Amino acid sequence: MPKATAATSEWFTRKRLIDAKLRAAGWRIAGFNENKDLKAYERCAIEEYQTEAGPADYALCLGGRIVGIVEAKKLSLGPQNVLLQAERYSKGLCGNPFDFRSYRVPFLFATNGEIIWHHDVRHELNRSHQIARFHTPDALAELLSSDLIAACDKLAAAPNDHPRLRPYQREANAAIEDAIEKRRREMLVAMATGTGKTFTMVNEVFRLMESGVAQRILFLVDRRALAAQAVRAFSSFEAKPGQKFDQIYEVYSQRFHREDFGDEDKFDPKVLPSSYLLKPSARHAFVYVSTIQRMSINLFGRNAIFGTGDEEIDADAEQMDIPIHAFDLVIADECHRGYTSSEVAVWRQTLDHFDAVKIGLTATPAAHTTAYFKDVVYRYEYERAVREGFLVDYDVVTVRSNVRMNGVFLKEGEEVGMVNPDTGAKQLDLLEDERQFEAGEIEAKVTAPDSNRKILEEIKKYALEHEGRYGRFPKTLIFAANDLPHTSHADQLVDLARDIFGRGDSFVQKITGSPTVDRPLQRIREFRNRPQPGLVVTVDMLSTGVDIPDLEFIVFLRPVKSRILFEQMLGRGTRKGEQFPDKSHFVVFDCFDGTLLEYFRKATAITAEPPRRETRTIEEIIDAVWQNRDRDYNIRCLVKRLQRVDKEMSGEARDMFAAYIPDGDMGHYAANLTGALKRNFTGVMKTLRNPDFQRLLVEYPRRARTFVIAYPTQDVVSSEWRVRGLDGKEYKPDDYLTAFARVVRENPAHIEAIGILLGRPKDWGTNALAELREKLARTPQRFTPENLERAHEIRYQKALVDIISMVKHAADKEQPLYTAEERVERAFRTVTAGRTFTPEQQQWLDRIREHLRANLSLDQEDFYTMPIFTRYGGWSKVYSVFKGELPELINQFNQAIAA
């Protein structure tokens, strides 16, 4: 048998790697002496400890007992399956006082010096899993004293009856608790935006802390503003009658900036003492809210988060030696985040550090989140939330713009604006040849002001119509393509909108992460809580984690390909109104002729979205080719990187590359690289591995960008309103009314109110009208009076058609369409014809007329409840005025209304 090298032997692994890791965790390394009492080995990792199954590489000793077995293997072997050997040693320690289903040692470890696997064998459902470090002696002592079975029993016996909990939130709590009882260590909770994920988890955390299932909780977010929201959510939660959460358990956070809270918010969060992280104690019971960025710095240093996210790094954050048992529960809020591989890596490394139960929260599960958290233990979809009345659905307006769909074509001799994106310098230029810009280049290389103006004018038409119908301007959020210096699409939209809407500068605002926006978080709060601004332009700052319940218009002028981002953007409008409780829906403007919505309708529930930025440097790829690590794949990657350099480099760069490759022609060099490596691998690699060449591949001069303002381009813009049904389909007005007619014709027997209107008008009344509205609204097409009214207005050019006319016309096209006012006047003529009434009776008839215009039915109960009647004496008064004839009069009015 060949002798193992020092680099791969088990001895090397133990002495150079494992011993150091054990010492770092607080264990002293000691040789085994069978004549020595175990109490002398307190906090020791005893080498070659004898068992009946053979010597264990290390036995961890606490309180005169062996509490852990560590089995070591050489670096080249994976340690996971070696746990079986540790299990054998555990069963072979018959003199040890523990006995867990024949295991005499509770905590087992297997390692090759780099990777550590751990198995707590006390419960048969406990899963073995990888850990970042060895547990400290205090960590194992705490684990040994814990009783998860008893804690779970206490949790199951506790009623989940918080008065503010909704039924689905109780379902989510139950699913989490069931998963914990089954010893799941990673789980995902997917709940639609606006359904109260944070409130659900605050309630869950309190239940877990009260039962003893978890005591030290880390709540991770990726923005400081979201951390501030979470701290407020915990501190304001009434955990027990008259007691807030933070009056029962400690709630800590990182330091915040003043603008993270509103000016009116005097809340002063407590900063977590560093000792809580460095020296975890079973006596501690607290919640710590932190950004992922800060915790990553605490664990791995500032370099760990370089290039991830755009939030300012906390100046007081520093690297700390935090043990893996600092928390026993980690909650990752908005865990779909991480649009790049480097950001995903930071999330994973931070979560992986802690040996804890991990719960991911998201509205939009992505491939990387389901890969990490494995099980979606609870899902509450947007469609179900709409059906159950907790969120509102949306209608769609498709805006067709020739420029957005077909691009910009400029003719020779036309005068355009030329902008230097680096300095902002502008000049007019006469084109010496025609130029064609594709649709995908709009707002990136060219802008057509006429197109943006006409799209905003189209949106204004719908806004004014909404204002006329509801008496308020719809809070509107426009997603612009970018907010780049000197060529900002967001700035152009703000400037145009201020002219088009004509309500002053403060009515239209930009809220982005740009340095040109003063106190953006304060601007968001104003948009949420105040009448102005009424229209906000953003790029992605308001795409997630921002709660604006009264938002009613969302405009997509930004092409989006990420399903996660798209659904988060939509989620800004799904909440029910606060200041406007009559908000029944919101409207989505797809300014790409409906192609944006169509694209995402075809997307799967969990779409794998490739990262936007590579995580490997070009130097690392070249080294992988040299080391023959997956060489063919890495050569293909290198070719793509070099082709990208060719597209982006300037003429100056070509001259600089000429020192290394023929004529500095990077395109030709990349195209022929694969063949060149086969013919002369060493010679080609000599160039590729040259440090100066590699530096140039990163720092080469880029081509100067240009940006064109297409003043001559005239756009043609049109729009079409569509209804989005509960079935997820979008219906044009004609298709919607065709479907409505089919439902009416096919359901007289199933919807009694339809049968009454079509054949038994004498049975019409308030109950029939309520049934009609309820059952039509619950159809897959969502036939609400508002949607039907709008569809009839578009198709028949008649506004305010009443629901009775709609049903009758759907069954028989010869039936006329009336407004509610016209129908009531018609009914009054029928009922009052040939009769005379006293002045007092006429006053009551006027009140009845007004009531019928709004309600299209009349019931005795209305005279007891409706202010228009009760303020004048209600039923007893009107009954005496009409001398007992009112019941019959009510029947006659109802029949005439339905006729």
Side-chain angles (χ1 to χ4, degrees), residues 704-745:
R705 286 197 312 121
T706 60
F707 188 81
V708 177
I709 305 176
Y711 294 118
T713 298
Q714 296 295 300
D715 200 4
V716 177
V717 174
S718 59
S719 64
E720 182 178 56
W721 171 80
R722 297 180 184 179
V723 177
R724 183 178 183 273
L726 296 176
D727 53 6
K729 296 179 182 177
E730 291 165 15
Y731 297 86
K732 297 179 180 180
D734 284 356
D735 297 334
Y736 192 62
L737 293 182
T738 299
F740 178 64
R742 185 167 57 250
V743 168
V744 169
R745 290 194 298 269

Side-chain angles (χ1 to χ4, degrees), residues 510-800:
K510 178 179 79 170
I511 303 179
T512 68
S514 166
T516 62
V517 178
D518 179 48
R519 302 186 70 189
L521 296 177
Q522 179 64 25
R523 302 287 83 78
I524 291 172
R525 283 188 286 272
E526 290 171 358
F527 185 42
R528 184 196 194 283
N529 299 322
R530 300 178 185 176
Q532 292 198 10
L535 187 154
V536 160
V537 179
T538 190
V539 177
D540 59 10
M541 190 170 189
L542 277 77
S543 64
T544 184
V546 176
D547 180 9
I548 307 175
D550 295 309
L551 190 66
E552 293 185 278
F553 279 15
I554 296 179
V555 181
F556 283 96
L557 261 168
R558 170 187 176 182
V560 181
K561 290 299 181 184
S562 162
R563 180 190 60 83
I564 291 175
L565 187 57
F566 176 75
E567 291 188 6
Q568 289 289 327
M569 288 172 162
L570 271 187
R572 300 314 100 210
T574 59
R575 290 172 174 84
K576 299 175 77 172
E578 288 184 355
Q579 298 176 51
F580 309 133
D582 61 336
K583 175 185 171 183
S584 61
H585 67 288
F586 66 106
V587 182
V588 175
F589 291 82
D590 181 346
C591 297
F592 301 91
D593 198 24
T595 58
L596 200 63
L597 288 162
E598 180 65 23
Y599 174 83
F600 289 107
R601 250 196 313 276
K602 294 177 179 178
T604 58
I606 298 178
T607 303
E609 296 174 6
R612 290 198 305 245
R613 293 197 301 264
E614 63 275 1
T615 55
R616 295 190 300 165
T617 64
I618 198 165
E619 180 182 355
E620 290 170 334
I621 294 175
I622 292 170
D623 185 64
V625 173
W626 176 250
Q627 299 293 346
N628 200 15
R629 291 195 300 268
D630 205 355
R631 179 172 287 168
D632 290 343
Y633 166 74
N634 281 295
I635 289 174
R636 293 197 300 273
C637 293
L638 180 57
V639 167
K640 286 186 176 181
R641 295 286 184 95
L642 297 178
Q643 288 172 337
R644 193 181 310 165
V645 171
D646 179 62
K647 290 179 180 178
E648 295 176 352
M649 70 185 193
S650 66
E652 180 187 358
R654 186 177 293 271
D655 291 338
M656 296 170 73
F657 277 118
Y660 305 97
I661 61 177
D663 302 322
D665 190 342
M666 186 61 72
H668 185 268
Y669 182 76
N672 292 279
L673 181 62
T674 303
L677 285 167
K678 290 179 179 178
R679 292 189 299 272
N680 182 16
F681 182 80
T682 304
V684 174
M685 288 305 301
K686 184 177 181 181
T687 299
L688 288 170
R689 297 178 69 216
N690 183 317
D692 293 332
F693 181 63
Q694 290 184 355
R695 190 178 305 110
L696 184 59
L697 285 172
V698 176
E699 300 173 358
Y700 63 90
R702 268 65 171 176
R703 64 184 179 185
R705 286 197 312 121
T706 60
F707 188 81
V708 177
I709 305 176
Y711 294 118
T713 298
Q714 296 295 300
D715 200 4
V716 177
V717 174
S718 59
S719 64
E720 182 178 56
W721 171 80
R722 297 180 184 179
V723 177
R724 183 178 183 273
L726 296 176
D727 53 6
K729 296 179 182 177
E730 291 165 15
Y731 297 86
K732 297 179 180 180
D734 284 356
D735 297 334
Y736 192 62
L737 293 182
T738 299
F740 178 64
R742 185 167 57 250
V743 168
V744 169
R745 290 194 298 269
E746 294 175 357
N747 285 281
H750 300 98
I751 302 177
E752 187 179 9
I754 293 178
I756 291 172
L757 289 176
L758 299 184
R760 309 192 316 275
K762 63 182 179 61
D763 294 331
W764 182 252
T766 303
N767 290 339
L769 179 61
E771 183 220 17
L772 179 67
R773 286 174 169 163
E774 178 190 355
K775 289 191 174 178
L776 288 178
R778 280 166 38 195
T779 57
Q781 297 84 1
R782 197 163 58 95
F783 293 123
T784 64
E786 186 177 38
N787 288 339
L788 288 167
E789 184 181 306
R790 189 180 185 93
H792 280 85
E793 181 178 354
I794 292 172
R795 182 168 179 176
Y796 297 106
Q797 302 301 303
K798 185 175 178 69
L800 304 175

